[in-house]
Each structure stands twice: as structure tokens, then as C-alpha cells.
Amino acid sequence: MFDITTKMKKSREDIREKIIDSAGIVFGKKGFRKTKMEEVAHAAKMGKSSLYYYFTSKEELFEAVVAREAEQMKNEIIKSTRNIHDPYKRLKKYILVRMNSFQHSINLYNAVKSNYLGHLPFIEKVRAKYDKEELLMVENIIRDGVRNHQFKVVNTEVATIAIVTAIKGLEIPLFIRGNNQETEKLIENLLLILFYGIVKRK
């Protein structure tokens, strides 16, 4: 009995994941507003009524897609920066991976950036969670740098806000360029300005 129940639960989870996969592709191509549940059902190779068994609305499905992309992006950043002990190099890697991941997480990007999605009840929660996690990740790197005497920062909170704000300001220019080498060069220049300033020292 336990085995049957476990298998049924796993089967439902597999179907749910398949729906989220298909919905991510459809939402990514057409956007939330233009996507219809019939299109997602067709992409997932299932009936519309079966789709509503797993997700009661388009909003609920989009929330699941965005949550999946946010978790994947977070995991990719953690995995890529985990073994980098130098705070400067870790911050550079964080920004690079974050930019590249964001570029491919089109539904997460739209949820965080698009004004027309602001009416959805969960969007503000997604944005707040995303901002909080990003600030926390960057501040942890800066604190490590201060502890290692590599960074001279009077106020880590202010420094974190400055860096995160600068990163967000680069998103659109970097997405337009779409060149990894140029992206890395721009990030390097950004960090040099943030850490060493633009004022010529005597």
C-alpha cells in the first residue's frame, strides 16, 4: 500500500514538473498576458481539464514557473561561487553568473521587472524575496572581504545597496550586447570603479 501511494505521489509530481516545464516555454515566448491555458495544455500534451487538476488558474501556474526559475538561478549562483574563497573573485563570479542566469530566466525577469504584472497578488512577494536574497548574498561576500582585511568598508549595508543598484543598472545594456566576453569586461570595470573609485589619488 505504501509503495503504491508513493508511486502515485511521484507520478503526480512528475506530471506537475512536466507542466511547469511546458508552461515556462510558452510563457517565455508569449508572455503572461497572451498565454492561454489551452496552449500550455497542448504543449504539455494533456487536456485542459487535466491541467486545471494541477493548477487552478493561469496565475498559480505562472507563480510556479517563476518560483522554479528563481530557485534554479539561486542554486546556480551558490554552486558557482561556493569554492571561491577570494571575496573579490567571488563577487565578480556572482555578478557574472547572476547576469547570465537572469538572461535565460525570462519569466523571472518579467516578474521582477515588468510593470504590467504588478496587478498579480504574488508578484510583490516574489520581488521582495528576490531583492532580499540578492542583498543578503552580496552583503555576505562583502563581510567576508572585510573580515579578511581585503575590503575597507565602513558600512557594509550601504556598500551592498550601492553594488546591487549598480548591477541592476547594467542589466539592460548587458542583455542588449549579449556577449559573454564584453559582459565580463564590463563587470570587471564596474568592480574597479566601485572598489577604487574614479578620483585620482596623489
Side-chain angles (χ1 to χ4, degrees):
M1 179 68 180
F2 175 77
D3 288 341
I4 294 173
T5 304
T6 303
K7 286 179 181 178
M8 288 177 64
K9 185 178 179 182
K10 187 177 186 306
S11 177
R12 286 196 295 268
E13 288 174 355
D14 289 343
I15 293 171
R16 191 175 187 278
E17 291 301 307
K18 180 185 174 184
I19 293 170
I20 294 173
D21 285 340
S22 301
I25 294 170
V26 179
F27 281 129
K29 287 180 179 177
K30 303 196 71 173
F32 173 80
R33 186 177 292 175
K34 292 183 179 180
T35 294
K36 297 178 180 178
M37 290 292 269
E38 292 93 333
E39 294 170 320
V40 175
H42 178 74
K45 295 182 172 58
M46 64 192 305
K48 184 180 174 182
S49 58
S50 298
L51 178 62
Y52 277 109
Y53 173 79
Y54 292 92
F55 295 95
T56 58
S57 66
K58 186 168 74 167
E59 289 79 6
E60 184 184 348
L61 179 53
F62 186 66
E63 182 176 5
V65 169
V66 170
R68 158 89 75 78
E69 289 188 3
E71 190 64 23
Q72 287 175 338
M73 180 170 154
K74 180 182 174 182
N75 291 338
E76 187 174 351
I77 289 171
I78 291 171
K79 183 180 177 182
S80 300
T81 59
R82 182 184 293 138
N83 297 320
I84 302 175
H85 301 294
D86 182 291
Y88 182 88
K89 291 179 180 177
R90 183 150 40 110
L91 183 58
K92 180 181 174 183
K93 187 69 173 179
Y94 165 82
I95 299 172
L96 187 61
V97 174
R98 180 248 194 226
M99 288 295 192
N100 288 334
S101 297
F102 215 176
Q103 198 166 6
H104 297 105
S105 304
I106 186 66
N107 296 298
L108 173 62
Y109 183 84
N110 285 336
V112 173
K113 300 295 177 182
S114 298
N115 291 329
Y116 77 87
L117 292 176
H119 69 285
L120 298 177
F122 68 90
I123 287 294
E124 197 54 47
K125 183 176 70 176
V126 169
R127 290 173 179 171
K129 184 173 184 289
Y130 173 80
D131 286 341
K132 183 179 179 181
E133 287 182 348
E134 177 155 51
L135 288 167
L136 183 60
M137 284 186 184
V138 173
E139 187 165 17
N140 283 337
I141 296 173
I142 294 173
R143 287 185 185 278
D144 283 346
V146 172
R147 277 193 295 267
N148 296 344
H149 305 290
Q150 193 169 344
F151 298 160
K152 186 180 179 182
V153 177
V154 176
N155 188 317
T156 56
E157 185 178 353
V158 172
T160 299
I161 293 170
I163 291 170
V164 170
T165 302
I167 294 170
K168 290 180 178 180
L170 278 179
E171 284 170 357
I172 293 177
L174 289 178
F175 287 177
I176 291 173
R177 291 170 186 262
N179 183 302
N180 283 340
Q181 287 185 334
E182 283 192 32
T183 298
E184 192 163 357
K185 191 174 180 181
L186 277 170
I187 289 171
E188 182 71 47
N189 288 333
L190 169 66
L191 290 176
L192 287 173
I193 292 171
L194 286 170
F195 284 103
Y196 300 105
I198 59 173
V199 177
K200 187 175 180 180
R201 300 175 190 275
K202 295 181 180 180

